[in-house]
Amino acid sequence: MELAEKISNAELEVMKILWRSDAPVSSVSIRSELQAEKGWEKSTILTLIRRLQDKEVINAEKRDVLYYSPNITEADFTAFQMQEMADKLYKGSVKNLVAALCHGGKLSEDDVDELKAFFKVEGQDA
């Protein structure tokens, strides 16, 4: 599924709750978690949920209360975000994005070694 609209940082907090669960999550559970962690009001949380429904990235199921499940996986969202960043900053080049992360000092030598090993294994699978 392609993300037609961006997910805001606040909406992402709702998505993280849904991605962590193997089953649909009740509106009550989402609200109590975000109220405890973020101190957000009930109306704010319900607005975030409604916006995600409007963007069609979550689905609602009516039981005793509403239960929500994601229509997009966390991996798909991450891939979309990474490609968007590459498009915005590096003319679509994921290679240049990764190079910038490597040369920007954000990765340790262990991180770079782990990535090298990953690419060797991935190259063998092809």
Side-chain angles (χ1 to χ4, degrees):
M1 163 184 265
E2 186 174 326
L3 280 176
E5 299 181 57
K6 293 181 185 175
I7 295 173
S8 71
N9 289 339
E11 293 164 347
L12 185 57
E13 295 302 319
V14 174
M15 294 302 296
K16 289 176 183 178
I17 293 168
L18 299 178
W19 286 327
R20 281 195 305 263
S21 178
D22 292 333
V25 181
S26 73
S27 55
V28 175
S29 294
I30 295 169
R31 282 197 331 259
S32 52
E33 186 169 335
L34 289 176
Q35 285 172 331
E37 287 181 10
K38 305 289 182 183
W40 293 347
E41 296 294 325
K42 176 182 177 179
S43 60
T44 300
I45 297 164
L46 293 176
T47 297
L48 295 172
I49 291 170
R50 183 182 42 76
R51 286 181 185 164
L52 289 167
Q53 283 184 279
D54 291 346
K55 294 175 184 183
E56 298 182 350
V57 294
I58 66 171
N59 184 45
E61 177 185 335
K62 180 72 171 157
R63 298 185 194 167
D64 52 331
V65 295
L66 287 172
Y67 282 77
Y68 298 94
S69 55
N71 289 334
I72 183 170
T73 66
E74 188 173 15
D76 286 344
F77 175 74
T78 301
F80 175 84
Q81 289 293 100
M82 292 300 292
Q83 186 58 58
E84 192 170 80
M85 185 179 294
D87 291 345
K88 185 184 294 185
L89 300 174
Y90 300 101
K91 299 179 184 173
S93 173
V94 175
K95 176 188 66 126
N96 289 345
L97 173 61
V98 172
L101 290 172
C102 290
H103 296 297
K106 300 294 182 190
L107 297 176
S108 68
E109 280 191 44
D110 289 342
D111 291 336
V112 173
D113 290 342
E114 192 175 323
L115 285 170
K116 285 178 183 176
F118 171 78
F119 286 122
K120 284 181 184 174
V121 170
E122 287 293 311
Q124 292 173 357
D125 291 346

